[in-house]
Amino acid sequence: MRNNSMRILMVILAMSLSTWASATRQIVVSSPDGKTKVELSSDNGLGYSVYKNGKHIYDVSNLSLSVDGRKCGPAVKISGAKRSKGSETVRPVVPLKHSTIEYQYNEVTVGLKNKTSLQLRVMNDGVAHRFLLAGKGMVEIDNETMTLNPAGNSTCHYQQTNNFNTAYEEFYQHKPLSEWKAENKLATLPALLSGEDDEQLLIGESDVDDYPRMFLRANTSGLNAEFPKAPARWEPHGDRGEKIVSEENFIARTAGRRALPWRWTVLTDAKGLVEQTMSVILARRPVLNDVSWVKPGQVSWEWWSGATPYGPDVDFKAGNNYATYKYFIDFAANYGIEYILLDEGWAKSTRDPFTEKPELQLKKLIEYGKSKGVGVFLWLPWLTVENHMDVFKTYASWGVAGVKIDFMDHSDQWMVNFYKRVTREAAKHKLLIDFHGAFTPAGLEYEYPNLLSYEGVRGMEYMGECRPENSLYYPFMRNAVGGMDYTPGAMNSYQPDLYRADRPNSGSIGTRAYQMALYVVFESGVQMLADNPTLYYQNDECTKYIVSVPTTWDETRCLAAEVGKYVIVAKRKGNKWYVGGICNGEQERTFQLDLGFLDAGKTYRMKAFKDGLNAGYQAMDYRIDEISVTSGSSVDVEMSKNGGWAAVIE
């Protein structure tokens, strides 16, 4: 482990070395608080069983790694065990939940055969394992296997895909294992198993480097890990990608001495899913010596509204031209928005990242943005970036702030390495990155914090297909593993049976208060304002609230939650608290919030945006309450179906 300025590391070593002569000896590791116990064994192949508060939660079996045709399991004898324990304080450069994260763990590393070992870490809220390699030179990893079997009945929540080529934008499915198995389809990570009495088991991975992403497929009683093979040959596929036409026999060719990715689970309840930081604490620490230039923020985005501001102050023909984007910059400057984004259409050709449409006057536009304190992001398809890796040096010389890279759509080792090559090269030139059409976060964003967000979600660009009934799972699943480029901010709001919207008059399903609450509930290092500046000017009081919401946070507390149905979260930045609540369309919701998280002995002013009496039909109906509150106050929160509630307390 490395010490650096971004991480206070205290490793308390209490190591003992023991050797087991047979494969029948069991190794037990408990969490620091004693509530979680893990029994590691090789009696019936390498695996472990997990218990929490004495209750059997799940088993992991069939743990095996095949390297250069040689397996370290399943018929493996544990040759030794090295125990350790530690505590760490992690301070993320871009903190999406907590600016300071403290955690403890107990750990055991056991020797296997073929210069391989297994590292098992047990924390208070979760369990993680990974394989360690101690070979030489380069090796080919033929496969890695793992089967997770929940002990009780569970409802599986997962993003289903027909194959490994996916942009991670599918609707979530919600089914028992038996129904998932019958479909014989893959699922992306993270996946969630919900049991009785609000028992939640979130499955994910972290520190994925030079290795493919993991997928899941249901079997008779559990979930099998599956991985895409490394691509062997590609063919051109349009202007923004290539098609894999043949594959290697291995999933990765990589260094023979290294740690493979962490496979982790979080054992908690619905509130705990929103607050946990497992993906952060298992990720690599920042490698950049200077991160002062890494500036998260909000972005005025033009694609969703068709880049067509209108009204008496618009005395130009809107489109991909200088006057339009100057207007976006002026809007951003007026409200203190850090960036604007020029999406597809700014360049003469999607294959040429250096030549803009002449009417755009890009370099002049960038300089104008600088004069107003507004940076400029440019959109590019990934294949164009791959063919022009010198683009980052050029963009830095132009003064570009960042790049949105799109349409990766697959998750093999080559593509995982592409993400890192791009992010590392961008960091050399102090450029920010937002990956769209992307897989979900798995640790790179903490190693290189200039990577501010990923898509990997069915976001608001899907218009009427982006529905609260699906989006209510994001705080518990997608945002549970990292930043999410959902692109909120609609000013035209609809209930689902009344939805009638399209570009340039775009709209979203959910109430106005729901949209405003998304800025508190959803997390992203680059948080978009997706709608038209004209509508934001017309809804000034809502816009002022939205732009006041930070993109990074010091503290997160979940106040109320039921997976997929509702969530209310309070987040602190400095001495201000923001509260956001959203719910699905099943019914109206009423809550009484205890404000005990506020400092005692102080009086605060709370301004809250809430659903109006008619928001269940006219979704743009909202009201504002302004009251004084203290830590002893309780506040009534009423949300319409597909509704929301958003407040600032200061």
Side-chain angles (χ1 to χ4, degrees), residues 8 19 22 34 108 141 171 257 313 328-329 490 492 499 607:
I8 298 175
T19 302
S22 73
V108 64
I141 298 180
F171 284 114
R257 180 177 292 273
D313 62 333
F328 272 85
I329 288 173
N492 288 326
Y499 187 82
K607 183 175 183 178

Side-chain angles (χ1 to χ4, degrees), residues 417-474:
N417 290 344
F418 169 82
Y419 280 63
K420 185 164 184 174
R421 286 190 292 112
V422 163
T423 306
R424 182 172 53 205
E425 188 65 24
K428 291 179 184 177
H429 303 285
K430 298 185 176 180
L431 287 173
L432 305 172
I433 295 293
D434 175 22
F435 282 121
H436 218 60
F439 50 57
T440 53
L444 178 60
E445 65 279 10
Y446 298 105
E447 185 180 11
Y448 287 92
N450 60 309
L451 171 48
L452 293 180
S453 197
Y454 303 68
E455 190 184 23
V457 68
R458 181 167 287 259
M460 212 169 69
E461 67 179 64
Y462 278 88
M463 303 291 180
E465 292 184 17
C466 177
R467 306 169 73 91
E469 64 198 54
N470 191 66
S471 301
L472 255 295
Y473 287 88
Y474 297 158

Side-chain angles (χ1 to χ4, degrees), residues 168 189-190 204-214 258 260-264 278-284 411 416 419 435 438-448 451 453-454 478 480-483:
Y168 289 63
L189 291 181
E205 59 182 342
S206 189
D207 194 14
V208 179
D209 185 76
D210 194 27
Y211 208 79
R213 296 301 305 271
M214 189 170 87
R258 60 164 294 187
L260 297 188
W262 286 106
R263 316 296 174 202
W264 56 256
M278 186 65 72
S279 189
V280 184
I281 62 180
L282 294 177
R284 298 184 184 192
S411 310
V416 168
Y419 280 63
F435 282 121
F439 50 57
T440 53
L444 178 60
E445 65 279 10
Y446 298 105
E447 185 180 11
Y448 287 92
L451 171 48
S453 197
Y454 303 68
R478 175 57 186 82
V481 299

